[in-house]
Amino acid sequence: DTEVTQTPKHLVMGMTNKKSLKCEQHMGHRAMYWYKQKAKKPPELMFVYSYEKLSINESVPSRFSPECPNSSLLNLHLHALQPEDSALYLCASSQDWTGTYNEQFFGPGTRLTVL
Amino acid sequence: ILNVEQSPQSLHVQEGDSTNFTCSFPSSNFYALHWYRWETAKSPEALFVMTLNGDEKKKGRISATLNTKEGYSYLYIKGSQPEDSATYLCAGGGRDDKIIFGKGTRLHILP
């Protein structure tokens, strides 16, 4: 199974809501990533988990809270988001966190709209 | 790696023609160069990861070259087919174990 799955595909939420994005892989990869992509811009790294520990936080606002409950699962908890947080959120995984050398396997993304 | 540039932004190519586009990156602090293909409504898919100056990689009709001394990589598509229509992203990786994406080249294959 070489697939990274993400749920939900689409999410609409208000600024006072709490919601979560989920990402799953069963390739035995030990590094997992969250990226944010806005229209006509490249994907921007948000977080990297390596061996279930947070390795990189790219100065992401605390209204985004990542969680890695086990080596196959990555969550992104959302709370008190702003309309400018509307974007495509991509999850990826790689064999390990020498991320530079290893190809990353991406999920299809969650399209988030904040009203 | 701070800045990865891709050109052109968009490209229209007749079916059957060959094409190529460019990714440029700072040659200092370079560790690896990734190419991904991203079709609409699908996941980005890795094409190549290259690390050494002079590297050439091939996958079917698609190939890529790497020049780390001058800081560029070319992606070539031979005999373009409709299924090649996609956005092609390159990403540079440096010492900090992160990859930075360029904005992509949007390729349209005309029938």
Side-chain angles (χ1 to χ4, degrees):
Chain A
D1 183 3
T2 58
E3 197 180 32
V4 175
T5 59
Q6 288 188 246
T7 53
K9 284 188 180 175
H10 300 274
L11 178 63
V12 179
M13 61 187 288
M15 289 190 283
T16 58
N17 292 159
K18 281 186 184 180
K19 296 285 184 185
S20 296
L21 310 184
K22 180 180 168 182
C23 172
E24 203 159 1
Q25 57 87 15
H26 295 286
M27 294 177 277
H29 288 173
R30 303 316 299 264
M32 296 185 78
Y33 310 79
W34 280 115
Y35 288 88
K36 174 182 177 179
Q37 200 235 355
K38 299 207 68 146
K40 300 192 178 178
K41 295 277 180 84
E44 292 180 359
L45 183 66
M46 299 174 72
F47 302 105
V48 179
Y49 271 83
S50 175
Y51 291 84
E52 298 154 54
K53 288 197 166 70
L54 184 64
S55 300
I56 292 180
N57 176 344
E58 288 288 272
S59 303
V60 178
S62 59
R63 57 186 185 268
F64 295 90
S65 175
E67 180 198 18
C68 190
N70 59 60
S71 59
S72 300
L73 192 54
L74 185 66
N75 297 321
L76 186 63
H77 302 298
L78 314 172
H79 174 53
L81 294 194
Q82 304 296 310
E84 59 264 29
D85 296 322
S86 298
L88 181 70
Y89 288 84
L90 289 163
C91 173
S93 70
S94 64
Q95 194 166 4
D96 60 45
W97 180 52
T98 44
T100 299
Y101 295 109
N102 292 306
E103 64 182 322
Q104 294 185 19
F105 291 75
F106 283 84
T110 293
R111 176 73 60 189
L112 174 68
T113 303
V114 182
L115 301 175
Chain B
I1 295 264
L2 290 178
N3 202 27
V4 175
E5 302 281 348
Q6 290 189 249
S7 63
Q9 267 191 315
S10 181
L11 192 53
H12 291 76
V13 174
Q14 207 66 42
E15 184 177 346
D17 286 353
S18 297
T19 187
N20 65 84
F21 27 93
T22 308
C23 173
S24 59
F25 53 88
S27 52
S28 60
N29 192 31
F30 168 85
Y31 271 28
L33 193 285
H34 296 223
W35 280 102
Y36 292 85
R37 174 171 60 201
W38 195 357
E39 294 178 65
T40 304
K42 293 191 177 179
S43 310
E45 173 200 358
L47 291 173
F48 308 111
V49 179
M50 297 183 289
T51 57
L52 298 176
N53 185 47
D55 257 354
E56 291 187 29
K57 295 217 171 175
K58 189 175 179 185
K59 187 185 269 192
R61 294 178 293 99
I62 303 178
S63 60
T65 60
L66 179 66
N67 183 322
T68 61
K69 293 185 178 176
E70 295 180 42
Y72 65 84
S73 174
Y74 293 135
L75 189 81
Y76 299 90
I77 302 177
K78 189 176 175 184
S80 303
Q81 299 297 309
E83 60 266 29
D84 297 327
S85 293
T87 296
Y88 291 82
L89 292 169
C90 78
R95 212 166 278 138
D96 54 8
D97 281 335
K98 296 181 287 192
I99 61 173
I100 304 298
F101 283 91
K103 289 184 178 179
T105 292
R106 184 79 178 93
L107 178 64
H108 306 263
I109 306 300
L110 306 170

